[in-house]
Amino acid sequence: LRGFNSAHIQYKIVYSRPSIDRPDEEEQINPDDEGEGKYIYVIIWMDELYAEAYADYQNVSVLINREEAIRAGRQFNEFQLAHRTHLPSDDELDYILLSEENAMETSTLARNKVNSDADQASLRQTVVVQGFSSGDWDVQKNTSIEHKLSDRIAKLPLSVWNNIHIPFEYSIKADTDQRSIYELYPSANNPNYKTVVTHRLYLRILYSCLVDDRSMKGADFLHDYYAQTKAHPFVTMFALHEYENQKFYPIRNPRVPMFVESLFRCSWIRAPIYAHIADDIREYYGEYIAFYYAFLMHYLQSMLPMVVIGCIWFIVQLSANRIDAGGSTFFVLIAVIWSTVLIEVWYRKESALRYKWGMCRYHETEVPRPTFTGKVVVSEYNGDIIEDHRSVFKYWLRIFFSLSTMVFCIAIVLSVVGSIWILKRRWKDNAGYKIAIGVINSVQIKIFNVLYTKLAYQLNNFEQHRLVEDYYNHLVIKRIIFMVVNSFNSLYYIAFVDNTYENNEQRLSSLRIQLFTLFATSIVVMNLLEVFIPKIPGYIRQFKAHRKNRRKSQADAGAAVVADLDGDEDDDDDDDDRRVKQKKKKPSSKHHELQQGVETAISVAQQSGDEWHLAAVDPEGEFNDERYTGGMDVQILLDVEQQMQSPKLASTLDNVAEIVILHGYIVMFVVVFPLMPLLAYINAI
């Protein structure tokens, strides 16, 4: 934490409550300390003034106030966009009348000066005027202008200024005449102060300042390195809820249940609701998660037509009693067109969201990764002080080594799969063995994907990418190429290489069995990893807490029996005191019951807005101790405890990789098993 002060990051150190997180006996530092908790919480924050100063230093893009930006632009005569936009609060007319001079000025987009002594027809170059060529200018210009003089030209609507983001400059905000061109929000800590930093942008700035180098005005906190180092005590980092200004920073997303309800009803999400859901997720979780859910909503909606068509075609195959029924080529063509349209439409939506959320300049303002070690230099493009690679040649050499390792891993996969198919050839006449081989192949795919994913992260860290975007781009390349080869090689072998089949129907039948086995096993394993496996640590904690309390209860009962058998009535009071002290030595409440009380109290308070009772979540009065509060709001500490007890979920990149693989199964082999879109849709929701 020694770099926090220089980065103007404030922090409080708080210890976890023993009743919630009591370390095991072998992990205790001081066994005689009854108040020793398992974790140390470091709660960090930054003042809005420093956040704005850092946003100015990093040229962070912020949203403008449309009305004030138009008023500021009208101070310049040449800013025609501001003059010709209708501002309802200032303008009486929503149209303009063109004079002949204005018509000439606006109609000519580019004209070259012509020598009066030369032949104008031969010297005139191409001029674009009102949609017709320069050759028609002499004939049509007078007619066009005279026609336009009789018309009213409507001003631009105010909506053309929506979602415009510009780099923040603190000097402009400090100017009383110009400060309002930015969209200002009430400060969470000081309601009388207006800031450009929303809670979402504040978290992004705080993270950038936390991980940036000290030479770049950051704290140089290498959380990625600390989390990967087993000997380091750092566990995790997460954002807290915003409680001080809940009316402005909603802690819940009211439209997300609408999204879930629409999916289970298989109904179409209308564009306005789609936009609101994506905006809500972005405001709460940030752009990284919002882009994923925006793509997920788009993917699931686009899946519905293919689900219907696939079910119809499966019925056709059953009625024909053949996989390669007549019209299969047409069905394959539909699948290819559907996939192309899905991707192209998403590109348009992604670009629109990137513009709407002010992410067009994100690559320019992105700070280097925390674990990147380079040299501080002056940028050749804009003169800024940046951290760059020490040697570009060594950087690309490391990338080449990683790609070579990936090729070697792919060769191992092909060798293993080849061995599996040698066994399948020996048991080709037994359908049960075929299914067993498919299950073995599916398990092999999952094991290799897990092992290679860990290796891919290590290779990516070895490559020393400067920016997070570069880091994830190379990680996606490594993972997708390997996972595609690992997942589809057996299917391609059956479809195009294996020559043991007498006809196409046998080949397609074997391919369907293999495809269904891989697909079904993939869905089952993925759901186990995402839904059930993360809950196991919580069950283990509850089991340990229950066993500890049961042993303690047995020890207390034994102590009571010994005291009764002693028969010394004069020492009864002393025995009672000893039993009370023995009971107080360790927490008496069950861990899982107390945790459920915390979650219930927080959820009730958030939904009803009523005051919650501290006694319900702190029956032992631990929050009266300064060690467990640090002078902070108890509700914040309850949020910390709740998030620490939450199971670790799969990363967004893992979820995207899952969608890519399932989409590959659908596009390339849907004609073999047309129900795959339906199964993929059910798995996604």
Side-chain angles (χ1 to χ4, degrees):
L1 309 180
R2 56 182 178 270
F4 284 19
N5 293 330
S6 60
H8 303 287
I9 295 178
Q10 305 177 54
Y11 61 91
K12 281 280 188 178
I13 298 178
V14 182
Y15 297 92
S16 64
R17 292 188 291 164
S19 59
I20 291 292
D21 294 302
R22 179 69 177 175
D24 298 331
E25 296 181 359
E26 62 273 9
E27 297 178 351
Q28 294 181 9
I29 300 176
N30 184 7
D32 297 330
D33 185 4
E34 299 179 3
E36 181 182 342
K38 185 176 182 179
Y39 299 111
I40 298 176
Y41 305 138
V42 181
I43 303 173
I44 65 174
W45 70 94
M46 176 183 287
D47 188 84
E48 283 89 350
L49 293 177
Y50 290 114
E52 289 182 345
Y54 190 80
D56 184 8
Y57 176 73
Q58 292 291 344
N59 290 324
V60 175
S61 296
V62 297
L63 187 66
I64 66 169
N65 185 297
R66 301 178 302 173
E67 292 81 359
E68 296 299 331
I70 292 174
R71 295 188 183 100
R74 289 180 176 180
Q75 299 178 12
F76 304 93
N77 293 329
E78 63 273 14
F79 199 167
Q80 299 296 344
L81 181 62
H83 288 284
R84 294 171 181 173
T85 300
H86 178 58
L87 193 58
S89 59
D90 295 0
D91 299 339
E92 297 181 359
L93 303 177
D94 61 352
Y95 59 87
I96 56 177
L97 292 174
L98 291 180
S99 63
E100 183 176 357
E101 180 180 357
N102 288 335
M104 289 290 297
E105 178 184 353
T106 57
S107 63
T108 304
L109 303 180
R111 298 193 67 180
N112 294 328
K113 292 184 178 181
V114 179
N115 190 343
S116 59
D117 298 333
D119 185 2
Q120 296 186 7
S122 60
L123 294 179
R124 180 172 297 164
Q125 300 180 6
T126 303
V127 183
V128 180
V129 181
Q130 291 294 338
F132 49 83
S133 65
S134 60
D136 299 329
W137 169 255
D138 294 326
V139 179
Q140 301 184 16
K141 68 174 182 178
N142 294 329
T143 305
S144 176
I145 294 174
E146 290 175 0
H147 175 71
K148 292 181 182 297
L149 286 176
S150 62
D151 293 340
R152 292 178 177 180
I153 307 301
K155 289 185 176 181
L156 294 172
L158 189 61
S159 59
V160 301
W161 292 72
N162 289 347
N163 305 314
I164 295 180
H165 294 74
I166 61 175
F168 175 68
E169 294 186 16
Y170 192 84
S171 58
I172 295 180
K173 182 178 179 298
D175 188 351
T176 56
D177 297 331
Q178 302 291 339
R179 68 188 303 268
S180 56
I181 68 170
Y182 299 113
E183 192 70 42
L184 300 178
Y185 308 93
S187 170
N189 299 325
N190 183 9
N192 297 323
Y193 180 74
K194 302 292 185 180
T195 178
V196 300
V197 180
T198 63
H199 183 56
R200 167 193 46 77
L201 184 59
Y202 164 78
L203 291 176
R204 193 205 302 175
I205 292 174
L206 180 59
Y207 175 79
S208 299
C209 190
L210 180 70
V211 302
D212 209 354
D213 287 348
R214 297 185 191 178
S215 58
M216 311 294 291
K217 301 184 179 181
D220 197 19
F221 188 79
L222 310 179
H223 73 91
D224 285 341
Y225 172 77
Y226 300 150
Q228 296 171 6
T229 305
K230 295 183 179 180
H232 199 279
F234 178 79
V235 177
T236 186
M237 178 174 62
F238 50 84
L240 299 176
H241 293 301
E242 178 60 53
Y243 293 105
E244 298 296 330
N245 199 351
Q246 294 185 12
K247 293 182 179 180
F248 182 72
Y249 301 128
I251 60 178
R252 294 297 179 197
N253 301 311
R255 297 183 184 89
V256 173
M258 297 170 55
F259 165 50
V260 177
E261 182 180 358
S262 298
L263 290 182
F264 278 105
R265 290 181 179 179
C266 298
S267 60
W268 193 264
I269 302 176
R270 297 188 301 273
I273 298 179
Y274 177 94
H276 286 310
I277 293 174
D279 290 340
D280 281 348
I281 296 176
R282 178 236 182 179
E283 289 297 330
Y284 188 71
Y285 294 103
E287 291 82 5
Y288 185 74
I289 302 298
F291 271 114
Y292 166 71
Y293 275 99
F295 171 73
L296 182 61
M297 287 188 289
H298 166 73
Y299 184 74
L300 290 176
Q301 287 191 119
S302 303
M303 185 77 73
L304 289 176
M306 201 61 195
V307 169
V308 175
I309 296 174
C311 292
I312 294 175
W313 190 252
F314 185 71
I315 296 175
V316 171
Q317 289 181 342
L318 292 179
S319 60
N321 198 24
R322 291 181 59 86
I323 297 178
D324 57 342
S328 298
T329 304
F330 180 72
F331 178 63
V332 172
L333 183 62
I334 291 177
V336 172
I337 295 175
W338 165 79
S339 177
T340 304
V341 172
L342 180 150
I343 296 173
E344 294 299 326
V345 173
W346 167 246
Y347 285 157
R348 294 176 62 87
K349 288 187 177 181
E350 183 187 29
S351 299
L353 291 176
R354 188 166 62 245
Y355 171 78
K356 181 180 181 180
W357 293 342
M359 303 296 292
C360 296
R361 297 182 57 256
Y362 181 73
H363 183 78
E364 301 175 12
T365 60
E366 192 177 10
V367 299
R369 294 175 53 248
T371 55
F372 173 73
T373 56
K375 59 180 180 180
V376 179
V377 297
V378 177
S379 174
E380 299 178 357
Y381 302 101
N382 53 16
D384 291 343
I385 298 177
I386 62 173
E387 187 179 13
D388 204 355
H389 294 282
R390 298 182 183 274
S391 173
V392 178
F393 174 76
K394 292 182 179 180
Y395 170 66
W396 285 106
L397 189 63
R398 288 192 290 265
I399 293 177
F400 177 77
F401 174 79
S402 297
L403 294 178
S404 302
T405 306
M406 179 191 69
V407 173
F408 177 73
C409 293
I410 290 176
I412 295 177
V413 169
L414 296 178
S415 301
V416 173
V417 173
S419 302
I420 293 176
W421 286 105
I422 291 176
L423 293 177
K424 186 174 182 180
R425 281 193 173 186
R426 295 182 178 180
W427 301 329
K428 63 180 180 179
D429 297 330
N430 192 315
Y433 284 164
K434 286 184 178 181
I435 297 177
I437 289 295
V439 172
I440 293 174
N441 186 211
S442 181
V443 173
Q444 169 263 320
I445 290 174
K446 297 304 172 187
I447 294 176
F448 276 45
N449 282 343
V450 171
L451 295 178
Y452 182 78
T453 297
K454 296 182 179 180
L455 177 61
Y457 277 102
Q458 295 296 328
L459 293 175
N460 241 39
N461 295 330
F462 167 75
E463 291 173 1
Q464 277 289 302
H465 297 288
R466 178 175 176 269
L467 301 177
V468 175
E469 182 178 358
D470 297 334
Y471 179 86
Y472 281 110
N473 286 341
H474 284 79
L475 183 61
V476 166
I477 292 174
K478 293 184 186 65
R479 293 190 61 183
I480 294 302
I481 293 177
F482 178 85
M483 293 177 69
V484 166
V485 175
N486 188 34
S487 302
F488 300 144
N489 65 82
S490 61
L491 300 175
Y492 270 92
Y493 177 81
I494 295 175
F496 304 109
V497 179
D498 194 357
N499 55 5
T500 59
Y501 303 102
E502 297 179 359
N503 51 57
N504 285 336
E505 187 64 24
Q506 290 184 1
R507 183 186 301 273
L508 293 176
S509 177
S510 178
L511 185 60
R512 171 179 283 186
I513 294 175
Q514 178 70 9
L515 182 63
F516 177 77
T517 305
L518 294 180
F519 201 78
T521 307
S522 175
I523 291 177
V524 171
V525 173
M526 287 179 181
N527 284 280
L528 284 175
L529 294 176
E530 294 180 4
V531 178
F532 298 103
I533 299 299
K535 296 181 180 180
I536 292 179
Y539 295 146
I540 294 177
R541 287 194 298 266
Q542 293 181 9
F543 174 74
K544 288 184 177 180
H546 179 72
R547 185 177 61 179
K548 184 184 297 185
N549 290 325
R550 185 175 59 184
R551 290 178 179 177
K552 178 179 176 301
S553 300
Q554 293 175 355
D556 292 341
V561 171
V562 171
D564 291 338
L565 293 177
D566 187 39
D568 191 354
E569 297 180 357
D570 295 335
D571 296 337
D572 282 348
D573 294 338
D574 295 336
D575 293 339
D576 291 338
D577 293 339
R578 284 196 300 270
R579 287 196 295 271
V580 170
K581 290 181 180 179
Q582 186 177 7
K583 290 182 180 180
K584 289 185 178 180
K585 184 175 181 180
K586 290 187 179 181
S588 60
S589 59
K590 295 183 179 180
H591 171 82
H592 65 280
E593 293 178 353
L594 184 57
Q595 181 61 26
Q596 291 177 354
V598 172
E599 296 177 355
T600 303
I602 292 178
S603 61
V604 170
Q606 290 173 348
Q607 295 175 5
S608 63
D610 300 333
E611 294 292 332
W612 48 272
H613 299 285
L614 184 60
V617 295
D618 187 26
E620 299 187 8
E622 292 171 309
F623 281 137
N624 296 326
D625 193 334
E626 186 71 15
R627 291 183 299 175
Y628 309 128
T629 62
M632 306 196 70
D633 190 347
V634 174
Q635 195 172 2
I636 296 178
L637 301 175
L638 292 176
D639 181 26
V640 175
E641 293 176 351
Q642 183 183 17
Q643 296 199 50
M644 284 296 298
Q645 299 297 330
S646 300
K648 184 179 179 180
L649 302 178
S651 67
T652 305
L653 189 60
D654 293 337
N655 293 332
V656 174
E658 175 186 345
I659 293 176
V660 170
I661 298 302
L662 295 181
H663 184 71
Y665 283 133
I666 294 173
V667 174
M668 291 185 285
F669 303 102
V670 67
V671 69
V672 178
F673 188 48
L675 292 182
M676 282 193 301
L678 177 61
L679 297 178
Y681 186 89
I682 296 174
N683 174 70
I685 63 176

